[in-house]
Amino acid sequence: MKEDFQSVPAVGEDDLALVTRVLAGDRGAFESLVRRHERRVFRVTMAVAGNREDAEEATQDAFIKVFRHLDQFRKESRFTTWLTSIAVNEALQVRRKRKDSVSFNETRGLDEQIVPHRFEPWREDPEKLFGKQEVRRLVESAIQALPPIYRETFVLRDVEEMSAEEAAEVLGIGVPALKSRLLRARLMLRESLAASFQQPPTLKTRIAHAATDMGTAVAMRLMRAVGK
């Protein structure tokens, strides 16, 4: 009876305590770690792999690797960062099996400036128009439509709320590169959702946009004329 009680994690027991128990031979503690983090790991592998089947495979492989190499975890760092790094690597391996780990679409646009084409303010409460489930579906679809390098960055920072330093460590890039990707991901996501969430443009807004477009066209003609 005492052993059964000890296999159940104490209320508020942190990851390091559970890791210690697993290394001491308590398999029940590892099950607790899995239950605590499986949703996070699946979201991360889904962001990297891009589809449910591959994400499920990568999630399973990640936890197997964690169990086999738990003695290599350095307790001075956060367990979630170490776990997420393994999850990302496993998802990348699954993605490489499909031979599209680094496609043209993934790297295209790294040096391009993303300029929003929609400027109207968003509706104050999109849920009143669509309902919570529909809003969630629209957002999840927009996230999945992002190129992988932006999708995984967005999920780590804005969904899992990892710090910039942690997310950069997981992805193996520098913090400036991570921040650049995150900005692009947010702009892409906003542009993607704009058609659904923005308020219809007013006549004043349409006139202002038309004037801006006309001024840009005139400026381009003048530049071409000077160039000649």
Side-chain angles (χ1 to χ4, degrees), residues 24 49 67 72 111 120 146 161 188 198 215:
F67 183 75
Q72 298 176 15
D111 299 319
E120 290 75 26
L146 292 172
E161 297 183 336
M188 287 179 176
Q198 280 184 345

Side-chain angles (χ1 to χ4, degrees), residues 15-146:
D15 289 336
L16 291 180
L18 289 172
V19 168
T20 300
R21 287 172 53 187
V22 176
L23 293 176
D26 185 351
R27 292 185 175 236
F30 185 74
E31 293 176 5
S32 298
L33 279 173
V34 172
R35 287 195 299 270
R36 178 177 292 183
H37 296 289
E38 60 185 347
R39 295 189 67 178
R40 166 196 287 268
V41 170
F42 179 77
R43 285 193 298 264
V44 169
T45 56
M46 186 73 175
V48 177
N51 66 81
R52 177 171 291 274
E53 183 179 353
D54 288 346
E56 289 174 349
E57 178 183 345
T59 297
Q60 182 177 357
D61 291 345
F63 279 116
I64 291 173
K65 180 163 286 188
V66 166
F67 183 75
R68 290 175 176 172
H69 300 282
L70 194 58
D71 59 336
Q72 298 176 15
F73 168 60
R74 284 185 268 175
K75 295 183 180 180
E76 63 268 19
S77 61
R78 289 184 62 190
F79 177 76
T80 51
T81 303
W82 184 71
L83 171 61
T84 304
S85 297
I86 292 175
V88 168
N89 288 332
E90 291 303 310
L92 285 172
Q93 288 187 33
V94 171
R95 203 168 78 190
R96 290 188 188 106
K97 291 178 183 177
R98 292 188 281 110
K99 299 181 179 180
D100 62 356
S101 58
V102 183
S103 67
F104 176 74
N105 288 332
E106 287 186 40
T107 55
R108 183 165 56 96
L110 281 175
D111 299 319
E112 296 175 2
Q113 183 179 7
I114 301 173
V115 181
H117 298 288
R118 300 177 185 271
F119 303 92
E120 290 75 26
W122 284 22
R123 300 174 190 271
E124 290 186 6
D125 190 357
E127 290 181 2
K128 288 183 179 179
L129 181 65
F130 295 103
K132 290 184 178 181
Q133 292 299 322
E134 182 64 11
V135 168
R136 180 174 179 175
R137 186 192 66 79
L138 288 169
V139 172
E140 288 179 347
S141 296
I143 292 174
Q144 285 304 117
L146 292 172

Side-chain angles (χ1 to χ4, degrees), residues 5-14 18 21 36:
F5 176 77
Q6 287 181 340
S7 67
V8 177
V11 175
E13 189 170 17
D14 62 18
L18 289 172
R21 287 172 53 187
R36 178 177 292 183

